[in-house]
Amino acid sequence: MKIYSCQMHIDQALDELIEKEEVYPIMKAVPEFEKLSTKCTYCKESALYVVANK
C-alpha cells in the first residue's frame, strides 16, 4: 500500500496506513522528478511524501 501526502495530510496518511496494514510505516520524500505530477491522496496539492508498508 502506498499513500502520497502533502505536508498538511502526513499525519492522516501515517495513521491510515497503520490502521489498515497494522505495520510500522515507511515515510520517504517523493523523488524530485515525480513531484510535479504526483498529487496528495487527500487533496489536490503536490505530494511531498510517500507513506508505504514496504
Side-chain angles (χ1 to χ4, degrees):
M1 175 178 200
K2 282 187 181 179
I3 302 173
Y4 292 94
S5 175
C6 63
Q7 182 68 40
M8 190 165 110
H9 291 110
I10 190 62
D11 290 333
Q12 185 175 354
L14 290 167
D15 289 344
E16 182 178 338
L17 192 121
I18 291 169
E19 184 178 315
K20 287 185 178 180
E21 299 292 322
E22 298 180 351
V23 296
Y24 190 77
I26 299 169
M27 185 175 94
K28 295 183 181 178
V30 173
E32 285 295 321
F33 64 90
E34 288 184 14
K35 280 189 179 178
L36 293 176
S37 63
T38 306
K39 302 295 179 193
C40 175
T41 302
Y42 305 103
C43 67
K44 301 215 186 269
E45 295 293 319
S46 293
L48 298 177
Y49 305 103
V50 179
V51 179
N53 59 350
K54 292 183 182 179

